[in-house]
Amino acid sequence: MPSGFSASSPIGVFDSGIGGLSVLRHIRARLPHEHLLYAADSGFAPYGGKTEQAIVARTLAIAEFLLERGAKALVVACNTATGAALGVLRERYPALLTVGVEPGLKPAAALTKTHTVGVLATERTLAGARFALLHQQVAAATGVRFLLQPCIGLADQIEKGELRSAATAALVRRYVAPLIGQGADTLVLGCTHYPFVQPLIEDAVRRIAAQPVGIVDTGEAIARQLARLLAQHGLQRQTAVEGTLTAFTTGSRTSLATAFSNLLKLRPEVGRIAAEPEVEQ
Ligand code: DGL
């Protein structure tokens, strides 16, 4: 691992694509003075249908890229990559500060009144050993029933920028309806892409649920955890000057720039991740 980073070094944030922007917005709000590097592996997205081995390889490649740019900490802003690769990443870089994202089963268990929670996530996340352990532990400790719903194709729709299309709305309804039908009063957004279709999820819920339904997103908790970790290690950037934001992608730079502008109203410089062919979409 390249060494020599300091408190003024950047924080690397990574996702299979644009989903991590739902975490990045909380990191910027909580840590406005930090320099941030965002890497979207859009040339290889979505991860949800890929093998664990393929996701590990992509995660290590992107981590190396961010570490070469001096990252002092790495946020794996992707439930799927966290499930498949966080363990390997921590083994490879034992001294690196890493924060992963997991479906918010614990906060959901604290919220539900019907003791039934729906978990929306990618097929890979729900099939992984890391999630199985979390599921087992939280279910045993709380007695809550978790209904697991793989949302095949949903991250892809979001990646394409289809946040309000009829096709995306139909997909959302197809995944949400059975959960509400089985008594879920709380839904976990177990993929960082899904907060960007929260209005569609709320709309689907309104059509079928008799009672209000809580929605759990862990973006804010991740930002808090990152802030705590940096403070513990004396690695918070000490300045009153706002930090910079630079983005990189293995996919289309134009698509990533558009996503930043549409989703976060930001216009960072967008670079290409070297050694990968640019994929124009
Ligand atoms: N954003 C990702 C997650 O949190 C994965 C979406 C995908 O690439 O399938 O799981």
Side-chain angles (χ1 to χ4, degrees):
M1 172 182 155
S3 58
F5 60 80
S6 67
S8 60
S9 300
I11 295 164
V13 181
F14 148 67
D15 179 49
S16 63
I18 61 172
L21 298 188
S22 72
V23 177
L24 186 79
R25 65 184 167 192
H26 292 289
I27 296 176
R28 282 191 89 240
R30 183 158 287 271
L31 298 165
H33 307 127
E34 296 292 342
H35 295 311
L36 301 175
L37 306 175
Y38 184 84
D41 199 16
S42 296
F44 295 84
Y47 280 4
K50 290 196 161 50
T51 64
E52 198 155 291
Q53 205 183 7
I55 298 166
V56 167
R58 291 310 310 153
T59 302
L60 292 178
I62 300 285
E64 197 179 320
F65 175 85
L66 291 168
L67 291 173
E68 274 165 9
R69 270 143 199 85
K72 64 181 175 185
L74 207 61
V75 179
V76 182
C78 176
N79 293 263
T80 311
T82 297
L86 190 65
V88 179
L89 192 66
R90 286 180 172 160
E91 260 170 43
R92 173 78 58 99
Y93 302 110
L96 176 67
L97 301 187
T98 48
V99 178
V101 180
E102 279 181 327
L105 266 50
K106 280 181 217 156
L111 269 182
T112 179
K113 302 269 185 293
T114 59
H115 297 283
T116 308
V117 168
V119 184
L120 303 163
T122 69
E123 56 272 46
R124 169 57 42 216
T125 294
L126 297 177
R130 194 183 172 94
F131 177 79
L133 188 64
L134 176 73
H135 180 195
Q136 195 189 354
Q137 284 172 344
V138 183
T142 62
V144 165
R145 182 166 67 118
F146 292 97
L147 309 171
L148 312 184
Q149 178 61 64
C151 300
I152 296 162
L154 186 54
D156 222 5
Q157 288 296 107
I158 297 163
E159 202 61 26
K160 284 191 281 183
E162 288 201 29
L163 303 185
R164 278 174 285 271
S165 74
T168 310
L171 205 54
V172 165
R173 277 200 299 276
R174 193 168 107 205
Y175 293 140
V176 167
L179 303 175
I180 304 299
Q182 290 173 78
D185 67 347
T186 307
L187 297 178
V188 173
L189 305 185
C191 168
T192 53
H193 281 70
Y194 302 166
F196 293 123
V197 289
Q198 192 163 332
L200 289 187
I201 295 172
E202 284 166 351
D203 191 51
V205 164
R206 257 194 306 274
R207 287 165 186 248
I208 39 180
Q211 305 296 329
V213 167
I215 294 184
V216 173
D217 165 27
T218 50
E220 164 61 24
I222 298 305
R224 251 184 287 131
Q225 193 187 336
L226 173 65
R228 241 189 340 257
L229 207 59
L230 291 175
Q232 261 169 25
H233 290 81
L235 280 174
Q236 272 172 318
R237 186 166 175 250
Q238 305 295 337
T239 172
V241 182
E242 196 175 299
T244 59
L245 170 65
T246 315
F248 301 91
T249 180
T250 52
S252 155
R253 280 179 292 177
T254 314
S255 298
L256 186 58
T258 306
F260 263 99
S261 167
N262 289 346
L263 301 175
L264 301 189
K265 308 278 171 262
L266 293 172
R267 284 176 179 70
E269 206 181 295
V270 181
R272 192 147 59 87
I273 297 186
E276 304 292 354
E278 181 158 14
V279 181
E280 274 307 337
Q281 290 154 355

